[in-house]
């Protein structure tokens, strides 16, 4: 499991963000848990549901909303597309090819 922390819900406490490493039975499911009470705040597939190469996660303030967004990168075999999500609204905010590669 890969993890990151960031204040995704804007309550001033860091929330836990998880994603699987490479595994033949684990898809690209990202989950976000509250730092206050550990309840699940969000979950979403960061890449195609059949992708099994694992997902790297990070958090940072990208949009001017006072909350951290979730940033993902695909693991082995997933290309180089970095994505930014607003997990509480269930939206992909943008994606870019890392290192100028597609």
């Amino acid at each position: 499991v890969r993890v990151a922390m960031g204040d995704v819900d804007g309550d001033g406490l860091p929330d836990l963000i998880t994603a699987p490493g490479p595994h033949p039975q684990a898809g690209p499911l990202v989950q976000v848990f509250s730092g206050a009470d550990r309840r699940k705040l969000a979950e979403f597939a960061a890449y195609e549901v059949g992708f099994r190469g694992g997902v790297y996660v990070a958090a940072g303030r990208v949009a001017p909303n006072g909350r951290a967004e979730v940033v993902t990168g695909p693991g082995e075999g997933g290309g180089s597309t970095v994505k930014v999500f607003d997990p509480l609204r269930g939206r992909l905010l943008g994606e870019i090819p890392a290192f100028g590669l597609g």
Side-chain angles (χ1 to χ4, degrees):
V1 174
R2 296 176 174 149
V3 300
M5 297 190 81
D7 185 9
V8 171
D9 60 6
D11 67 356
L13 297 172
D15 303 306
L16 179 68
I17 304 157
T18 68
H23 191 279
Q25 296 177 349
L29 184 66
V30 175
Q31 298 183 58
V32 181
F33 299 92
S34 168
D37 60 13
R38 306 296 186 249
R39 68 185 164 86
K40 189 183 300 183
L41 297 174
E43 73 176 24
F44 57 92
Y47 299 93
E48 295 294 323
V49 294
F51 177 61
R52 302 289 187 250
V55 177
Y56 292 94
V57 290
R61 290 191 178 174
V62 178
N65 60 16
R67 298 181 285 110
E69 283 70 45
V70 174
V71 180
T72 67
E76 184 177 335
S80 66
T81 301
V82 174
K83 296 184 177 185
V84 179
F85 294 90
D86 178 341
L88 298 184
R89 303 233 178 346
R91 293 184 351 168
L92 173 66
L93 298 176
E95 56 184 77
I96 59 169
F99 314 113
L101 304 174

